[in-house]
Amino acid sequence: MTAATSSQLSELPRAVRAPTFLTRVRLRAQRYISWLDHQWASAPGGLGISISPHEVQRILAATGDELAFCEASADARALSSAIHEADAAFAADPFAQRMRQELDLSDVELDLLTLAAAVEADPWLRRAFGYIHDDAAGGLPTPWLARQLFRWPTGVQIGPESKLIAWKLARPIEPTNPWSVTAPWVVDPTIASAMIRDGALDVGLDAVRFAAQDAPELCLYPDERDTIVAFVRALAKPGAIEVVLAGPTGAGKRTLAAAICAQLECSLLVVDGPALVAAHPDAAQLRDALVRIVRCARLANAAVYWHELDSVDAPAPALALFGTSRAVTHAVDGGVVRRSVRLPALTRAARAALWSTLSGHETPAPVLDWPLLPSDLVRAAMMAPAGPDAVVEACRSTMRLDAGSLAAPLVRPYTWDDLVVSASVKRHLGELETQARLRWSVYEDWGFGKFFPMGRGIAALFAGPSGTGKTMAAQVLARSLGMELYRVDLAGIMSKYIGETEKNLRQVFDTCERANVLLFFDEADALFGQRMQVKDAHDRFANIEIDYLLQRMEQFDGIAVLATNRKNEIDQAFLRRVRFIIDFMPPGIAERRELWKRALPSRSPTGEELLSGIDPQALAERLDMTGADIKNAATSAAFLARAENSLIKPRHVFRAARRELAKRGIVLREEAE
């Protein structure tokens, strides 16, 4: 190659203010080149493409001593003094210190890394490296070059077990013999960029970002935050720490992680797990990305928040926070400690406080009374300028039940005025509505929630013969409370396969706790029946299903209504967990009279006369029927009359009533007409 002097190389363009690592590399290159110039000066004819005999003799004789030359040469002594100062400055560099401490880099590994980063900071150095290699194409750093410049001890080598490889900091690009001392190395672009920019880190992945450094304006979970902060501080960093933040999507796990890091005075690196996996479908690529994320966290003194990424196949950061809506199942590695925290439902006070930070409008009732998540409140606050109705609809839309085929919605067409039951039943239903409406204010504001640590739901049993108004009462309650009504589909819930029934029930209960719905179990005795003496495996698994129901009902935080016409077949353990037991009796004469009046209106919506000779009192006294029977009989009588193009008369009613009563095995004589 064409020879060049060290003075010429020192005149190559460079940055106005070079990073400390770059200054360190330049000075060492200058000193070594001055030694080469001294040696090559004795080669007759200089250097060229051909190799002269004198050059071969010089190489084989291995004469000369660089250390002695540097002691004898005034210029080399001056460079050695400058190198000493540059080494001290580099040793004091915060980013270099973090690489050494957090990534466990040795001096040798750090030397090779700085060489590889130097050619990225100053591409002109490639010509200098090529000059030292005596190869115009040898412009990339090699372990041999690092050995010469940094005077490594004899026998030092960089192999595949190096931390440079483990942390993806730098790598050899020689495909056939990557661990040769002459194999060229390249640095990871993000690391080179950080070294050039005084430690300004960028992961370089779309699914990863640094969270804002400022603490969140409002911490929704102060107790959980303080517990985790005290836990981390108490361990004093003996190793890696994992904290699992479990809660539904939208509960504010990322915001809580930011609040924790603000207390610990460290940065937070947020990783979108699903997006990261989607961008790296190959397992090896994904692991490389995970290593780079942890590397960045260690160098930035940051915790990592893994969002919905339960298992991480990479070295652990000092503090990892797993935000998940599912249970974290991966095992804890040696040296790693784990603490799990489940985020509780927001209290009324917390929801009101969050609303006040999101919106200047008055706090609407759903914000206080419905189990909304922080993300629900954010969406609802965006609708506040459109008015209260828009806010209510936004809250309701976020809480729709999605239970598949396991539960079906029921319409809620009735109000309290439509429900005809005895005064005692109506009073009992009113108490149920009051407790359902005020439960959170009593539990939270008055502190009565401490008496219900397992679950704060309300369960009621509606017992009575068919047709006495149990389903209608559930419809009235749901409408009055502003809740959707869903009836559990027993055919979809119950399964012959072991464990499937419990799985279905878990899905229904979990979903209903999240949604603002009233859960209605019709024919509840099919699910909540009494446990039986175990005679075979079928009996044992049937009892397991009932035991699971007992446990889940006790932990339920929603509103559930169980309806049955066979109260005696309900397991006593369920009855003890039911807050209200309301017995629906067949209607008396007064109730039947009112039912007949409502079932047979005197006029149509257009004002047309419909009845002729109908006496509701007489019908109530002579026909002992339930509300459902009366409704069906009245409807059938209307069809009979319409078929005759006649008004509805007593004979039509009695004929229809006879057919309804026959369904129950009751014979109504024709003379009764």
Side-chain angles (χ1 to χ4, degrees):
M1 60 177 290
T2 303
T5 66
S6 59
S7 60
Q8 290 174 321
L9 290 169
S10 64
E11 295 172 358
L12 294 176
R14 62 190 63 189
V16 175
R17 177 185 175 275
T20 57
F21 80 92
L22 183 57
T23 300
R24 181 173 181 249
V25 169
R26 281 180 179 148
L27 290 171
R28 289 179 180 274
Q30 283 182 274
R31 186 177 67 180
Y32 192 76
I33 288 174
S34 68
W35 158 242
L36 290 180
D37 289 348
H38 170 73
Q39 282 194 307
W40 293 345
S42 61
L47 300 178
I49 298 177
S50 63
I51 302 174
S52 68
H54 295 283
E55 175 70 5
V56 173
Q57 290 297 329
R58 181 186 62 80
I59 294 173
L60 295 178
T63 58
D65 185 344
E66 182 192 359
L67 293 178
F69 166 79
C70 291
E71 288 294 329
S73 169
D75 290 341
R77 286 198 305 270
L79 286 172
S80 295
S81 177
I83 288 171
H84 180 74
E85 294 177 2
D87 285 349
F90 181 70
D93 182 81
F95 191 67
Q97 290 179 344
R98 291 205 65 82
M99 285 195 294
R100 189 187 304 275
Q101 295 167 3
E102 296 297 332
L103 305 184
D104 194 25
L105 295 185
S106 66
D107 291 341
V108 169
E109 291 168 329
L110 206 52
D111 291 342
L112 182 55
L113 180 63
T114 55
L115 273 186
V119 296
E120 297 295 326
D122 186 358
W124 285 99
L125 279 174
R126 295 194 179 198
R127 292 179 62 82
F129 291 173
Y131 180 81
I132 297 173
H133 282 129
D134 194 17
D135 181 358
L140 292 178
T142 63
W144 178 88
L145 178 64
R147 177 179 297 166
Q148 307 310 311
L149 298 188
F150 295 98
R151 296 174 175 172
W152 288 355
T154 303
V156 171
Q157 289 186 337
I158 300 290
E161 72 286 348
S162 168
K163 297 295 183 181
L164 296 177
I165 302 299
W167 286 110
K168 313 297 180 185
L169 297 168
R171 61 181 177 85
I173 58 174
E174 170 60 51
T176 57
N177 190 8
W179 312 116
S180 168
V181 295
T182 58
W185 281 62
V186 292
V187 66
D188 181 86
T190 58
I191 290 297
S193 175
M195 294 177 69
I196 295 169
R197 298 187 300 159
D198 293 331
L201 284 161
D202 182 9
V203 183
L205 298 171
D206 292 338
V208 185
R209 62 177 176 82
F210 278 101
Q213 292 283 5
D214 297 335
E217 182 178 351
L218 173 67
C219 182
L220 298 174
Y221 309 99
D223 293 341
E224 287 71 24
R225 177 201 61 194
D226 295 344
T227 297
I228 295 169
V229 169
F231 172 72
V232 173
R233 285 176 174 167
L235 294 178
K237 292 189 176 180
I241 301 172
E242 289 185 1
V243 175
V244 178
L245 304 177
T249 302
K253 299 184 287 293
R254 270 177 284 199
T255 305
L256 175 58
I260 292 169
C261 290
Q263 291 284 307
L264 295 172
E265 298 181 344
C266 67
S267 303
L268 179 64
L269 200 59
V270 179
V271 181
D272 187 336
L276 184 69
V277 173
H280 301 84
D282 180 73
Q285 292 180 351
L286 178 60
R287 190 180 189 283
D288 286 353
L290 295 173
V291 169
R292 286 181 168 84
I293 292 169
V294 175
R295 180 189 72 193
C296 179
R298 284 177 173 260
L299 294 176
N301 186 30
V304 180
Y305 175 78
W306 304 102
H307 173 65
E308 297 295 349
L309 192 64
D310 296 341
S311 179
V312 177
D313 181 21
L319 175 60
L321 300 116
F322 288 85
T324 179
S325 56
R326 305 177 300 275
V328 173
T329 57
H330 73 271
V332 178
D333 296 331
V336 178
V337 294
R338 178 187 294 168
R339 179 73 179 267
S340 296
V341 175
R342 176 162 288 280
L343 273 58
L346 292 184
T347 63
R348 286 164 52 91
R351 291 196 295 270
L354 179 57
W355 179 266
S356 66
T357 64
L358 296 172
S359 171
H361 295 77
E362 183 180 355
T363 306
V367 170
L368 298 176
D369 298 333
W370 295 2
L372 296 169
L373 295 170
S375 59
D376 301 333
L377 293 174
V378 171
R379 285 189 290 269
M382 296 172 62
M383 302 295 293
D389 292 341
V391 172
V392 173
E393 181 55 33
C395 294
R396 181 175 287 113
S397 65
T398 64
M399 302 184 70
R400 302 291 185 188
L401 177 64
D402 182 17
S405 61
L406 305 180
L410 286 180
V411 295
R412 306 163 300 153
Y414 306 117
T415 65
W416 284 111
D417 292 336
D418 298 316
L419 185 63
V420 180
V421 291
S422 66
S424 62
V425 171
K426 206 161 194 176
R427 184 169 57 252
H428 212 170
L429 290 170
E431 294 174 5
L432 169 57
E433 180 200 9
T434 299
Q435 289 202 20
R437 190 183 301 278
L438 302 178
R439 60 184 175 130
W440 295 118
S441 60
V442 172
Y443 288 155
E444 296 175 5
D445 299 345
W446 286 12
F448 278 69
K450 64 183 179 182
F451 300 122
F452 301 92
M454 297 293 292
R456 300 180 180 181
I458 295 178
L461 177 66
F462 292 176
S466 298
T468 53
K470 300 185 294 298
T471 301
M472 187 177 184
Q475 293 170 306
V476 170
L477 272 173
R479 177 169 176 172
S480 181
L481 292 170
M483 304 174 74
E484 301 292 332
L485 179 65
Y486 274 77
R487 176 164 55 192
V488 174
D489 183 2
L490 296 183
I493 287 285
M494 302 186 72
S495 173
K496 65 180 180 179
Y497 298 105
I498 297 173
E500 194 68 22
T501 299
E502 292 90 330
K503 176 182 175 182
N504 294 337
L505 287 168
R506 184 183 303 112
Q507 179 182 348
V508 169
F509 278 115
D510 291 350
T511 308
C512 287
E513 283 179 332
R514 167 71 185 91
N516 185 47
V517 304
L518 189 152
L519 191 57
F520 183 58
F521 289 89
D522 202 4
E523 306 294 341
D525 47 275
L527 270 178
F528 300 85
Q530 296 185 7
R531 284 165 289 188
M532 61 191 72
Q533 183 178 358
V534 176
K535 297 179 180 178
D536 54 27
H538 180 272
D539 296 340
R540 182 169 65 255
F541 288 118
N543 287 345
I544 289 174
E545 292 176 2
I546 296 176
D547 291 339
Y548 173 78
L549 267 174
L550 284 168
Q551 175 188 3
R552 195 60 184 84
M553 281 293 292
E554 194 169 26
Q555 298 173 351
F556 187 49
D557 276 338
I559 308 296
V561 171
L562 288 62
T564 182
N565 55 8
R566 291 180 287 188
K567 176 181 174 181
N568 293 335
E569 296 185 13
I570 300 291
D571 194 291
Q572 289 298 312
F574 282 114
L575 298 182
R576 289 194 295 272
R577 289 164 170 79
V578 170
R579 185 82 61 87
F580 291 88
I581 299 179
I582 303 177
D583 291 308
F584 286 73
M585 303 301 294
I589 292 177
E591 288 85 28
R592 292 201 294 270
R593 180 181 67 249
E594 185 64 26
L595 288 168
W596 279 114
K597 287 174 62 177
R598 299 185 182 201
L600 291 172
S602 59
R603 294 184 180 277
S604 70
T606 59
E608 180 183 358
E609 188 77 26
L610 296 179
L611 306 181
S612 175
I614 298 296
D615 182 1
Q617 179 68 30
L619 293 175
E621 293 175 353
R622 297 173 65 180
L623 298 174
D624 186 6
M625 304 175 70
T626 66
D629 294 338
I630 291 173
K631 177 190 67 176
N632 292 337
T635 303
S636 296
F639 277 102
L640 290 173
R642 187 71 176 185
E644 296 178 1
N645 199 22
S646 164
L647 299 178
I648 302 174
K649 298 179 180 180
R651 61 185 176 85
H652 298 131
V653 175
F654 280 105
R655 189 182 308 170
R658 184 183 301 110
R659 293 173 181 170
E660 285 301 317
L661 291 172
K663 297 176 184 177
R664 294 193 280 137
I666 300 175
V667 177
L668 178 66
R669 296 181 180 180
E670 295 188 8
E671 302 88 75
E673 300 182 16

